[in-house]
Amino acid sequence: MIAPERIRALFAANVPGMRQSASRGDHDGNPGLLPPAGAFRAAAVLVPLVAHASGMSVLLTQRTAHLHAHAGQISFPGGRVEDSDEDAVAAALRETEEEIGLARAHVEIVGRLDTYRTRTAYEVTPVVGIVTPPFELKLDAFEVASAFEVPLSFALDPANHQRHSREFEGTTRHFWALPFGPHYIWGATAGMLINLAEALGTRPPS
């Protein structure tokens, strides 16, 4: 079991997952599917690690089915970095408050993972935060259908990291998936969880 103190220590030690580099790009490893370098828009997500007394968990959301992009998918709270945001951390905390009502007073930022570039032209900074309960969530009904938690031990276990592929516009696309009960976690969110496992030392770096 990984405790909050261990997570703080690993990120404070500048583990590989803290690199300020976009070289990892699409963590799912799909060369040729990404837009050109100048096309990306800045975005940020919060990777909320909830410090329950019984063990840590990862807080995730399911997007509503009517959204234009990524409808119904599992995601971390987050979105575009706006001009009013001081940095990616500010954007992640703001978006988290807007989407699920989690007050930033409950979130201790401990570090970040590798930048994740998506084929939809977003350059996403995953910001890792330890969340202290108890807290209340207030979901934005337009964007978020539900919020749920996955045991951190499940997310970090390589036995639960599934590698899949499918045809996309005539090209084979590879992606990670972490099915959890009725929830199918895949794509960018799964890729970031794989990166988290690498950063916390439960999975060798790829």
Side-chain angles (χ1 to χ4, degrees):
M1 179 183 297
I2 294 185
E5 294 76 14
R6 175 64 173 162
I7 293 174
R8 293 187 186 99
L10 286 169
F11 279 103
N14 193 30
V15 294
M18 285 289 290
R19 288 192 298 270
Q20 299 287 327
S21 168
S23 62
R24 298 294 291 274
D26 181 350
H27 196 88
D28 296 327
N30 293 279
L33 282 183
L34 294 180
F40 288 91
R41 294 159 288 180
V45 299
L46 181 68
V47 181
L49 307 181
V50 185
H52 293 293
S54 58
M56 300 195 72
S57 66
V58 184
L59 177 62
L60 294 166
T61 71
Q62 182 161 16
R63 293 167 63 83
T64 50
H66 64 79
L67 293 175
H68 175 70
H70 309 295
Q73 291 187 13
I74 306 301
S75 66
F76 292 114
R80 293 186 186 182
V81 177
E82 304 291 351
D83 292 339
S84 58
D85 294 319
E86 181 179 353
D87 52 23
V89 172
L93 290 172
R94 174 184 56 76
E95 287 281 348
T96 297
E97 282 191 310
E98 292 174 358
E99 290 184 7
I100 62 174
L102 177 61
R104 62 189 67 195
H106 288 280
V107 184
E108 173 195 355
I109 302 300
V110 294
R112 56 153 289 174
L113 300 173
D114 293 323
T115 303
Y116 192 106
R117 285 182 170 179
T118 73
R119 65 176 182 82
T120 51
Y122 281 100
E123 191 169 75
V124 184
T125 299
V127 178
V128 181
I130 295 176
V131 181
T132 303
F135 54 84
E136 292 185 9
L137 300 182
K138 185 177 181 181
L139 307 185
D140 178 345
F142 181 80
E143 289 193 45
V144 182
S146 64
F148 64 96
E149 296 181 32
V150 175
L152 181 60
S153 57
F154 176 91
L156 298 183
D157 187 347
N160 299 319
H161 302 166
Q162 300 180 9
R163 189 71 162 159
H164 295 287
S165 63
R166 69 180 184 189
E167 291 298 311
F168 175 75
E169 295 181 352
T171 303
T172 300
R173 180 189 175 191
H174 304 281
F175 60 94
W176 290 105
L178 285 79
F180 178 74
H183 304 291
Y184 188 68
I185 307 165
W186 71 287
T189 302
M192 293 175 199
L193 288 172
I194 298 296
N195 191 195
L196 178 66
E198 294 174 350
L200 297 182
T202 64
R203 179 186 180 89
S206 58

